[in-house]
Amino acid sequence: MIQIDHVHKQYGNKKAVSDVSLTVPTGKIFGFLGPNGAGKSTTIKMVTGILPVDSGTITINGKDITSDTIAAKQEFGYVPDSPDLFLRLKGLDYLHFLSDIYGIASDVREARIEEYSKMFSIYEALGDQIKTYSHGMRQKLFITGMLVQQPSVWILDEPMTGLDPKSSYQLKELMRNHAANGNTVFFSSHVLEVVEQLCDEVAIIRKGELLFQGTLPEMRERFQSDDSLEHIFLELTQDA
Amino acid sequence: MHKPIRSLIRIQLKMQYANAFQKPSVVIGLVFGIIGLLFLAMVFGGYMLQIIDVMYSLLEPSGNTDAILGTLFLMNFFLIFILSLMLIMNTFYFTEDITSFLHLPVHSYQLLIAKSLNPLIYVYLLTAAMYLPVTIFYGTLSGAGFMYYVYVLLLFFLIPTIPYALAAAVVMFAMQFVNKGKNKDRSKVIGGIIGFVLIILLNVVLRLQQDPEQIAQVIADNAEKGGLLQMATLYYPPASLMSHILTTAGSWQSLFYFVIVLLLAIAAGLLFFAAAQKFYMKGALGLNTGSGKVFNGKGLGRKPKSVISAYRAKEIQTIFRTPTFFLQCVAGAFVMPALLVVIFFMGDFASATTMIEGISGSMLFVVILFANVFSVGLNPISIVSFSKDGQSWEAHLFLPLTMRQIVIAKLQAAFLINLLPLTVLFVIAIPVIQMNLWEALIWVVIALLVNSAVTVVGMVSDLLYPKLGWTEETELFQNRLATLMSIIITASAFVFLFALLLILQMSMIFSFIVTVVWISVVIVLLTYIVSRLLKTADRTSLSR
């Protein structure tokens, strides 16, 4: 479970995130929506410990990301929005590096690397440097890394970007299974169809402020609309 | 100028230099850099002018002083040609941003003219350093008139064009064969190693004849026989044309020669244009970084490692697989001991041994210490400890890694790589010093201590002036205040020690004890600074 409590973040005079409180429960897929520059990535970066929190608290499975950083980081796996990291490592080296950091046993990692890299069709490229991968392949490698690690909390920033339809479908299935097994899936997306099909709950953020958190039926009820999520989203996020 | 060329130049300038001068660290670095260059120019220039002075007085009686200018233009040609070969190879083919331009609807020559901006800055700086002092000095010696200096200035702009265009044509022609389907990284490493070999060879040549008067005499003797100008004409006809322009400045004849040189420069430009249009794309499009091999499952099962050893392995893999890091930190590490041998002994171990035999006690100790500091002191491996991560640094923020683990692993990786030059030096030293076991042991301990200190110094410098926002790895090795800071800290730490050892004139064993204590104190102090710097740093950018 991820608990975000009255979190603020400011860059200079600009408020990036203002008094956001969110609960991402276990056993559910939670979608985080908002237009560009709304504060989605800043919030995710604070949750993952990349950015320090100005005020408020964030806990992951009860562990505070600010005061109990390493223990909190052990709880989640993260797929960043731009997977341009460790470009000079070979795909396989990256997966082993990650497995060592998270202490995955030798036989377990071997089986998982093989299973998931084959599932996402990157097995044959594991001997190449990440630098030579396409955007989609890098995305798949980072997803594979998270799957090898198998943490209880998944945090994915725009995970479908660059994925081919087959991989996209497989990831959605994995997300469903992971949540169904009592784990947490927290992801941001621009693709509203994906959110609509996949999410048990959503949160919408605009200009750093949380506009809504709840299930899709709750959203329709609250905004008294039978429109598609796209329409509601557009109305909610348009400038006043 | 064509609009696409102007736009391409503007974007190149923005990418490389935009906001650079707004940072105080860059300005301070630039000021120190200029002071350093001026110092070098004074030393080298003084040496050159001494040669010119002697040559002029030797050649004046026979009226062959124009050979001085002929030699100068010939030397300029070769040096600019060699420098251009290396710069062009890097800029036209190996920079990462090149693929961002290949899809644009611009001609190769337009792209390459814009890409030439940066190498040409270096080429003109070299020309200014070599050509201007000599021609101005020659002008004062010969009592030249106003037109002489006008032609000096005009020729300054024309001189680099011919060797630069020729070098570009050679590289473009060769690269279409060399790189077709080959690995870009490997070609880059091979190119870099050739560069190092050229630097060492240049030093060997300089060491072969060191006495300026002797050099002047040799050149003058050749010139007396008309040999030099003939040679200049034979290998590079514009050299003699250019020297005629200056010696007959003010006459119609000089104007005629100047027009010929101008036409030759235009012809060089056309050659550049033709080579760019015909060969460039063939070479550039053939580049790739992939191995093309299908993964066969080898290495899938691996023994788990501790966090620190996994991180250390990642560091070493990154350094060895990134051509720029490999060249600067690994291949370059062999250059320092090699230069040390060339500069001091020219490989003449017998005379070196005789020289070393005359040294004893603290002096021998200082020699050992100096050789080790010199070998690792200039290796930039730890100066890029954090900066080399670039945008991958972000991953350190979400992975469950403590700063302590990261620092220890980075120090270990830098320490291990710095062992390479120290080992090379040690192997060279065995026949030179003919050490006994005790001396060898002292050497090893000193080398390890120096290595630790220099490694931590580099890390402190990198934390003081980090550079994570780079687009090209080479940016980490150019104009960085961290490099200067590292040299200053290393020099301050060791100059004091050298002075202490020389003043106290102690026995070997006391020198050893003083050194161990001093370096240990330095390491402890610097490690404390590292921990403070990391506590106060903004973790996202590492800046304060």
Side-chain angles (χ1 to χ4, degrees):
Chain A
M1 187 167 90
I2 302 172
Q3 184 75 48
I4 302 174
D5 238 359
H6 299 290
V7 165
H8 288 265
K9 181 75 194 171
Q10 193 149 340
Y11 297 119
N13 289 326
K14 196 189 162 206
K15 275 185 184 170
V17 172
S18 180
D19 197 29
V20 166
S21 293
L22 263 183
T23 304
V24 184
T26 49
K28 285 188 175 170
I29 302 181
F30 194 101
F32 196 37
L33 309 174
N36 293 332
K40 288 193 306 289
S41 284
T42 301
T43 307
I44 289 183
K45 283 191 161 106
M46 286 191 288
V47 172
T48 51
I50 295 172
L51 283 176
V53 179
D54 285 352
S55 66
T57 53
I58 297 173
T59 56
I60 296 147
N61 287 348
K63 282 151 190 159
D64 193 306
I65 192 71
T66 309
S67 58
D68 197 5
T69 312
I70 301 298
K73 286 177 181 177
Q74 292 280 6
E75 295 296 319
F76 67 83
Y78 172 54
V79 177
D81 55 344
S82 63
D84 301 325
L85 308 170
F86 303 115
L87 297 181
R88 287 289 177 179
L89 292 186
K90 291 179 181 174
L92 183 66
D93 293 331
Y94 167 74
L95 296 174
H96 276 300
F97 172 64
L98 213 63
S99 305
D100 287 329
I101 300 290
Y102 287 96
I104 311 294
S106 184
D107 50 340
V108 177
R109 77 169 73 168
E110 188 178 342
R112 287 183 189 166
I113 290 174
E114 191 167 358
E115 180 190 348
Y116 295 117
S117 63
K118 281 183 176 167
M119 178 185 285
F120 286 106
S121 313
I122 54 165
Y123 180 79
E124 290 189 346
L126 286 182
D128 287 334
Q129 288 184 21
I130 301 172
K131 196 179 170 57
T132 63
Y133 288 16
S134 67
H135 179 86
M137 283 172 76
R138 287 179 194 179
Q139 190 79 357
K140 290 181 197 176
L141 181 76
F142 282 84
I143 293 168
T144 305
M146 189 187 68
L147 295 168
V148 171
Q149 176 197 341
Q150 284 198 2
S152 67
V153 178
W154 290 5
I155 303 173
L156 310 102
D157 200 355
E158 304 286 348
M160 305 297 170
T161 314
L163 292 189
D164 52 65
K166 186 182 159 205
S167 305
S168 184
Y169 171 79
Q170 268 156 340
L171 178 62
K172 283 186 266 181
E173 284 299 299
L174 286 165
M175 287 161 82
R176 281 194 187 102
N177 291 339
H178 194 63
N181 289 333
N183 297 305
T184 307
V185 179
F186 179 49
F187 82 105
S188 74
S189 181
H190 280 120
V191 189
L192 297 174
E193 289 88 346
V194 173
V195 175
E196 214 159 8
Q197 322 167 346
L198 206 60
C199 291
D200 302 306
E201 247 181 73
V202 294
I204 299 180
I205 189 170
R206 192 190 69 158
K207 291 186 177 172
E209 287 177 8
L210 201 66
L211 298 180
F212 173 80
Q213 181 190 350
T215 61
L216 290 172
E218 280 169 1
M219 188 197 275
R220 289 204 173 87
E221 195 182 313
R222 178 157 156 198
F223 296 100
Q224 295 178 344
S225 167
D226 285 331
D227 280 345
S228 66
L229 176 62
E230 190 175 24
H231 272 105
I232 300 174
F233 177 79
L234 287 173
E235 274 192 27
L236 270 176
T237 56
Q238 73 182 354
D239 284 325
Chain B
M1 200 185 287
H2 286 278
K3 207 176 164 204
I5 299 178
R6 211 168 46 217
S7 307
L8 286 166
I9 288 179
R10 198 179 302 135
I11 200 79
Q12 293 279 324
L13 285 172
K14 276 192 177 169
M15 281 164 69
Q16 298 212 10
Y17 300 107
N19 305 324
F21 296 103
Q22 287 168 11
K23 288 185 189 167
S25 60
V26 174
V27 177
I28 300 168
L30 203 67
V31 170
F32 274 100
I34 290 170
I35 293 170
L37 272 178
L38 281 176
F39 176 74
L40 278 177
M42 274 165 63
V43 173
F44 184 70
Y47 180 70
M48 286 284 289
L49 296 183
Q50 207 182 336
I51 296 175
I52 307 296
D53 199 16
V54 177
M55 270 176 77
Y56 195 88
S57 54
L58 285 171
L59 293 169
E60 201 183 11
S62 60
N64 276 326
T65 51
D66 54 351
I68 295 172
L69 294 173
T71 316
L72 171 72
F73 288 119
L74 191 65
M75 270 175 65
N76 265 335
F77 171 79
F78 281 115
L79 284 177
I80 294 170
F81 183 75
I82 290 172
L83 178 71
S84 302
L85 282 180
M86 291 194 276
L87 290 173
I88 287 166
M89 214 174 315
N90 264 320
T91 321
F92 289 8
Y93 292 93
F94 298 143
T95 48
E96 298 302 330
D97 70 348
I98 202 73
T99 44
S100 327
F101 295 102
L102 292 178
H103 67 280
L104 294 176
V106 291
H107 288 286
S108 302
Y109 80 91
Q110 293 171 323
L111 175 61
L112 295 186
I113 287 174
K115 278 272 179 202
S116 291
L117 193 77
N118 221 20
L120 280 176
I121 290 174
Y122 288 100
V123 163
Y124 272 100
L125 279 176
L126 176 72
T127 313
M130 283 195 62
Y131 163 80
L132 289 178
V134 175
T135 44
I136 292 169
F137 187 59
Y138 182 92
T140 54
L141 284 176
S142 63
F146 175 71
M147 280 311 287
Y148 170 87
Y149 293 101
V150 172
Y151 278 124
V152 163
L153 194 66
L154 289 173
L155 284 178
F156 169 72
F157 292 106
L158 290 182
I159 287 169
T161 54
I162 300 173
Y164 183 79
L166 277 177
V170 167
V171 170
M172 285 190 256
F173 180 76
M175 286 302 280
Q176 62 171 337
F177 304 111
V178 172
N179 267 302
K180 199 77 188 168
K182 295 268 177 67
N183 190 297
K184 180 180 172 182
D185 286 350
R186 207 172 303 145
S187 311
K188 202 170 177 178
V189 169
I190 292 167
I193 288 171
I194 291 171
F196 283 138
V197 171
L198 283 175
I199 290 169
I200 294 171
L201 281 179
L202 191 69
N203 272 281
V204 171
V205 172
L206 286 174
R207 283 284 304 162
L208 283 172
Q209 288 290 349
Q210 218 187 10
D211 180 9
E213 292 213 8
Q214 218 177 336
I215 297 174
Q217 187 68 51
V218 173
I219 299 173
D221 285 350
N222 268 315
E224 288 285 353
K225 297 170 202 154
L228 263 183
L229 259 187
Q230 247 181 26
M231 198 169 84
T233 319
L234 186 68
Y235 289 112
Y236 183 54
S240 63
L241 282 174
M242 287 173 186
S243 66
H244 283 315
I245 293 170
L246 293 185
T247 50
T248 60
S251 67
W252 284 107
Q253 203 185 357
S254 65
L255 184 65
F256 174 68
Y257 286 136
F258 181 75
V259 171
I260 297 178
V261 170
L262 191 65
L263 289 172
L264 284 171
I266 293 170
L270 290 173
L271 177 74
F272 180 90
F273 168 82
Q277 292 297 86
K278 194 157 175 56
F279 306 128
Y280 179 65
M281 281 297 171
K282 286 183 192 166
L285 294 178
L287 294 170
N288 68 76
T289 42
S291 67
K293 288 180 196 156
V294 174
F295 179 64
N296 57 8
K298 200 180 159 195
L300 204 57
R302 228 179 255 181
K303 259 171 68 179
K305 290 177 181 155
S306 70
V307 172
I308 290 179
S309 55
Y311 194 95
R312 188 181 59 228
K314 184 225 67 149
E315 286 284 289
I316 294 173
Q317 280 166 346
T318 307
I319 291 160
F320 273 79
R321 289 195 192 134
T322 313
T324 309
F325 296 150
F326 178 79
L327 284 169
Q328 295 281 346
C329 307
V330 181
F334 290 93
V335 176
M336 282 306 149
L339 278 181
L340 200 67
V341 172
V342 170
I343 291 168
F344 290 101
F345 309 124
M346 258 310 283
D348 186 356
F349 289 166
S351 67
T353 309
T354 322
M355 199 184 107
I356 296 286
E357 273 169 1
I359 301 170
S360 61
S362 62
M363 193 56 202
L364 176 62
F365 195 80
V366 169
V367 170
I368 294 176
L369 193 62
F370 175 78
N372 282 298
V373 174
F374 185 81
S375 285
V376 290
L378 292 175
N379 192 357
I381 177 78
S382 58
I383 305 170
V384 295
S385 293
F386 289 90
S387 297
K388 73 173 178 305
D389 287 317
Q391 59 182 344
S392 293
W393 176 249
E394 190 175 299
H396 297 73
L397 306 176
F398 66 77
L399 290 174
L401 292 163
T402 62
M403 270 300 170
R404 195 179 146 273
Q405 288 169 326
I406 296 172
V407 166
I408 291 174
K410 280 183 184 294
L411 284 174
Q412 286 180 356
F415 183 88
L416 286 174
I417 287 177
N418 270 339
L419 285 179
L420 291 171
L422 291 173
T423 312
V424 174
L425 188 73
F426 184 68
V427 170
I428 294 170
I430 291 172
V432 176
I433 298 189
Q434 293 172 354
M435 288 179 278
N436 57 36
L437 190 67
W438 170 236
E439 285 165 343
L441 197 68
I442 285 185
W443 181 296
V444 170
V445 175
I446 290 302
L448 295 178
L449 269 173
V450 167
N451 188 358
S452 312
V454 170
T455 306
V456 189
V457 168
M459 187 175 267
V460 169
S461 312
D462 195 31
L463 281 172
L464 282 169
Y465 301 103
K467 186 171 184 171
L468 289 171
W470 47 266
T471 46
E472 272 294 316
E473 288 106 357
T474 45
E475 290 167 30
L476 294 178
F477 303 97
Q478 293 165 351
N479 313 320
R480 273 192 71 200
L481 202 55
T483 313
L484 184 74
M485 193 48 67
S486 166
I487 293 171
I488 290 173
I489 303 174
T490 309
S492 325
F494 285 100
V495 162
F496 181 80
L497 183 62
F498 287 138
L500 197 71
L501 294 173
L502 290 173
I503 291 165
L504 295 179
Q505 292 283 326
M506 296 168 291
S507 66
M508 193 88 164
I509 185 71
F510 274 108
S511 300
F512 177 71
I513 294 168
V514 169
T515 304
V516 170
V517 172
W518 174 253
I519 299 180
S520 305
V521 170
V522 169
I523 292 171
V524 170
L525 189 71
L526 289 170
T527 315
Y528 173 74
I529 295 174
V530 167
S531 69
R532 295 299 308 164
L533 286 173
L534 280 169
K535 271 188 189 145
T536 56
D538 160 20
R539 293 178 314 139
T540 319
S541 63
L542 282 180
S543 61
R544 276 155 300 281

